[in-house]
Amino acid sequence: MTIRSRTRLERVRASVGIACLALQQIQDDLTAEDVDQAELAAILRELIEDTDPPGGLIPALAQLVTVAAQRAEHLEPDRDGDASHYLHESAALITDNTGARLLWVARALNPQGELA
């Protein structure tokens, strides 16, 4: 491992740590006693429909996995797709299953839409 890759790995570790802290804050907000149906639905929508950056958390996570898959395609020794296939599949599952299901739940909790 080179110095550059250790530095990159350290940046990734720090970024993951920051993301985990942010997700913990969201979890804390979700467990607040005064969260009602409409607010829970709005929070779930934020995970998918956030406007900055476009797309929300779930699509951003799927994009991250897709980028890893694209990189794996170039690094696979036989270019047979053994590694990249599973990454592409994971990205699709995040988008298709997680994103869609969060939207369904948000609509079931509050079909009227977002909080004003």
Side-chain angles (χ1 to χ4, degrees), residues 4-38:
R4 186 179 69 207
S5 64
R6 276 187 298 213
T7 302
R8 182 176 295 128
L9 186 56
E10 289 169 359
R11 284 194 313 265
V12 169
R13 283 183 184 142
S15 295
V16 168
I18 292 166
C20 287
L21 289 173
L23 292 172
Q24 182 61 53
Q25 178 61 53
I26 294 168
Q27 183 176 329
D28 292 348
D29 289 336
L30 286 170
T31 59
E33 292 294 324
D34 61 344
V35 173
D36 62 11
Q37 283 180 262

Side-chain angles (χ1 to χ4, degrees), residues 44-50 53-67 91 94-96 98-100 102-103:
L44 295 175
R45 283 186 181 97
E46 280 298 311
L47 297 176
I48 305 157
E49 300 174 350
D50 186 25
L57 174 68
I58 301 301
L61 181 57
Q63 177 62 30
L64 178 70
V65 175
T66 297
V67 169
I94 291 168
T95 302
D96 296 344
T98 305
L102 285 174
L103 278 175

Side-chain angles (χ1 to χ4, degrees), residues 75-99:
L75 298 175
E76 290 173 311
D78 298 332
R79 304 232 189 249
D80 56 5
D82 282 349
S84 61
H85 169 76
Y86 292 111
L87 289 168
H88 281 297
E89 208 170 73
S90 295
L93 288 171
I94 291 168
T95 302
D96 296 344
N97 289 341
T98 305

